[in-house]
Amino acid sequence: MPTDNADLGQEDIDVFDNGRESFDRLNKPVLDGIGIEGNDDDDDDYLTLYNMTPRERLMYTFRRSMYKALDHFNSLPKWQRLLIILFGALVIVLGILMLIFHNKILDKVLETSKDLNERSSTNFILLVLLFFVGFPPMIGYSFLSTSTGLIYGVSFHGWFVLALGSVTGSVASFYVFKNLLHSRAEKLVHMNKRFEAFASILQEDNSYLMLALLRLCPFPYSLTNGAIAGIYGISVKNFTIANIITTPKLLIYLFIGARIKNMAEDHSTSSRIFDLVSILITLIIFTLTAWLLYFKTKQRYAQLKNQAVAQNSSANREVDFEI
């Protein structure tokens, strides 16, 4: 009998160890996606950064980010690496052409924007394009939003067209993926590790305020519309309210478009520099705000995970005590 009890205890220990290893293996992608890694490298990095000056920390962080990006690039399939290289080459070519022919390009942009502003059909065309670009895997939302600013400037008219097209397109995309393409929506959730983490948060709190925060985070527009539909418990009502709440951020696109139009209208160097600096500052503020919200939400996810682990361990102790 004592031997049997000893064997049984060892079996329990083995089962527990195997279960813990399985749990860590299954949850590692999610934890990695939000920046929680189960290794000792973070402790070494902390000690290294602690003894550095602010300038050395900045350079160290920059080099580390570059190495990570390079490793990620090398891990991609060949066709994806080729696409990235082609895209980079295209950006360089367009940049060179912009530097050489910027006056002609801006004049053409100004002429086109004025022509579209005078046409009564422009409103309907923009609404249709903004509506359909909300369905994944469509792209071009930022381009259409900035183009709306080019045509109408920072005005209520431009904001209303952009907001109406964005909200209706997002809600329609959410409804279609929630009711007709739910399996596809679930696949979209798992396409991005960070989005998997946010999906866990929304399962705990699917209020329209949390959805609004998610809409402000730096995620692809159409992908977000479809992926949120794959999260259980989110209603069309809350999703619609969240999209309406975040419509003021659309003024940023209108402002950028208006500044580009002003650069085409005013050929003075000082005015163009001012407009360009205004655009850059706006983009920096918008990007920093979006990433700040992202990291704050990521911290909230870590808190939820810690609370869940604490509750599970407490429940296990109570069960052991009763046994």
Side-chain angles (χ1 to χ4, degrees), residues 178-225:
K178 181 178 179 64
N179 295 282
L180 302 178
L181 302 173
H182 191 74
S183 60
R184 176 59 181 168
E186 291 179 343
K187 291 180 180 179
L188 290 176
V189 174
H190 299 294
M191 284 178 62
N192 189 295
K193 294 180 180 179
R194 292 180 176 86
F195 208 96
E196 286 182 342
F198 278 91
S200 300
I201 297 176
L202 292 175
Q203 288 176 351
E204 297 288 339
D205 181 6
N206 55 16
S207 64
Y208 60 85
L209 291 177
M210 186 59 67
L211 286 169
L213 287 176
L214 178 60
R215 298 299 299 182
L216 295 174
C217 290
F219 288 111
Y221 173 73
S222 62
L223 173 63
T224 306
N225 294 332

Side-chain angles (χ1 to χ4, degrees), residues 6-26:
D7 293 339
L8 181 61
Q10 184 62 39
E11 291 178 0
D12 291 339
I13 293 174
D14 293 338
V15 170
F16 175 78
D17 291 338
N18 293 333
R20 185 181 61 182
E21 292 176 358
S22 300
F23 177 83
D24 293 339
R25 185 170 60 255
L26 291 173

Side-chain angles (χ1 to χ4, degrees), residues 13 24 48 50 53 91 100 134 142 187 280 283 294:
I13 293 174
D24 293 339
T48 303
Y50 182 79
T53 63
V91 171
I100 298 175
S142 297
K187 291 180 180 179
L280 293 176
L283 289 174
Y294 166 73

